[in-house]
Coordinates of all heavy atoms in Angstrom, one line a residue:
A229 N 0.4 -6.2 1.9 CA -0.1 -6.9 0.7 C 0.7 -6.5 -0.5 O 1.3 -5.5 -0.5 CB -1.6 -6.7 0.5
H257 N 2.2 17.1 6.9 CA 2.7 16.7 8.2 C 2.1 17.7 9.3 O 2.2 18.9 9.1 CB 4.2 16.7 8.3 CG 4.8 15.5 7.9 ND1 4.5 14.2 8.5 CD2 5.8 15.2 7.0 CE1 5.2 13.3 7.9 NE2 6.0 13.8 7.1
L267 N 6.1 7.1 8.0 CA 6.4 5.7 8.3 C 5.3 4.9 7.6 O 4.1 5.3 7.4 CB 6.1 5.4 9.8 CG 7.0 6.2 10.8 CD1 6.6 5.7 12.3 CD2 8.4 6.0 10.5
M272 N -1.0 2.8 6.9 CA -0.5 3.3 5.6 C -0.5 2.2 4.6 O -0.9 2.4 3.4 CB 0.9 3.9 5.8 CG 0.9 5.2 6.5 SD 0.5 6.6 5.5 CE 2.1 6.9 4.7
L279 N -6.4 1.7 -1.9 CA -6.4 2.8 -2.9 C -6.0 2.4 -4.3 O -6.5 2.8 -5.3 CB -5.6 4.0 -2.4 CG -6.0 5.4 -2.9 CD1 -7.5 5.6 -2.6 CD2 -5.2 6.5 -2.2
F288 N -15.4 3.5 -5.5 CA -15.4 4.2 -4.2 C -14.5 3.3 -3.2 O -14.5 2.1 -3.3 CB -16.8 4.3 -3.6 CG -17.5 5.5 -4.2 CD1 -18.2 5.4 -5.4 CD2 -17.7 6.7 -3.5 CE1 -18.9 6.3 -6.0 CE2 -18.5 7.7 -4.1 CZ -19.0 7.5 -5.3
G296 N -7.0 11.4 14.6 CA -5.7 11.4 15.0 C -4.8 10.2 14.7 O -3.7 10.1 15.0
T305 N -1.3 10.9 1.2 CA 0.0 10.6 0.7 C -0.1 9.5 -0.3 O 0.7 9.5 -1.3 CB 0.8 10.1 2.0 OG1 0.8 11.1 2.9 CG2 2.2 9.7 1.5
V314 N -7.4 14.6 -6.4 CA -8.3 15.8 -6.4 C -8.8 15.9 -5.0 O -9.6 15.1 -4.5 CB -9.5 15.7 -7.4 CG1 -10.4 16.9 -7.3 CG2 -9.0 15.5 -8.8
A334 N -10.4 22.6 -7.6 CA -9.4 21.4 -7.4 C -9.0 20.8 -8.7 O -7.8 20.3 -8.8 CB -10.0 20.3 -6.5
V363 N -10.6 11.3 -6.4 CA -11.3 12.4 -5.7 C -11.3 12.0 -4.2 O -11.9 10.9 -3.8 CB -12.7 12.6 -6.2 CG1 -13.5 13.7 -5.3 CG2 -12.7 13.0 -7.6
A396 N -13.9 9.2 6.9 CA -14.9 9.5 8.0 C -14.5 8.9 9.3 O -13.7 8.0 9.3 CB -16.3 9.0 7.6
R405 N -23.0 3.8 5.4 CA -23.6 2.5 5.1 C -25.1 2.7 4.6 O -25.6 1.9 3.9 CB -23.6 1.7 6.3 CG -22.1 1.2 6.6 CD -21.7 0.0 5.8 NE -20.5 -0.5 6.3 CZ -19.8 -1.5 5.7 NH1 -20.3 -2.1 4.6 NH2 -18.7 -2.0 6.3
M409 N -26.3 3.5 -2.8 CA -25.5 3.6 -4.0 C -24.1 3.1 -3.6 O -23.4 2.6 -4.5 CB -25.4 4.9 -4.6 CG -24.9 6.1 -3.8 SD -23.1 6.2 -4.1 CE -22.8 7.6 -3.1
Q448 N 6.3 3.5 26.0 CA 4.9 2.9 26.3 C 4.2 3.6 27.4 O 3.0 3.7 27.2 CB 5.2 1.4 26.5 CG 5.6 0.6 25.3 CD 6.1 -0.8 25.7 OE1 6.6 -1.0 26.8 NE2 5.8 -1.8 24.8
S458 N -2.1 7.3 19.0 CA -2.4 8.3 18.0 C -1.1 9.0 17.5 O -0.4 9.6 18.3 CB -3.3 9.4 18.6 OG -3.3 10.5 17.7
T466 N 6.2 15.5 20.3 CA 7.5 15.7 19.7 C 7.8 17.2 19.5 O 8.9 17.7 19.9 CB 7.7 15.0 18.3 OG1 7.4 13.6 18.5 CG2 9.1 15.2 17.7
T469 N 8.4 18.7 23.0 CA 9.6 18.2 23.6 C 10.8 18.9 22.8 O 11.8 19.3 23.5 CB 9.8 16.7 23.4 OG1 8.6 16.0 24.1 CG2 11.0 16.1 24.0
V489 N 6.8 18.2 30.2 CA 6.1 18.5 28.9 C 4.8 17.8 28.9 O 3.8 18.5 28.5 CB 7.0 17.9 27.7 CG1 6.1 17.9 26.4 CG2 8.3 18.6 27.5
A496 N -7.3 19.0 30.4 CA -8.7 18.8 29.9 C -9.0 19.9 28.9 O -8.8 21.0 29.0 CB -9.7 19.0 31.1

Side-chain angles (χ1 to χ4, degrees):
H257 272 304
L267 305 184
M272 287 279 281
L279 205 54
F288 283 77
T305 303
V314 178
V363 177
R405 292 275 189 186
M409 64 89 175
Q448 290 170 325
S458 164
T466 303
T469 302
V489 170

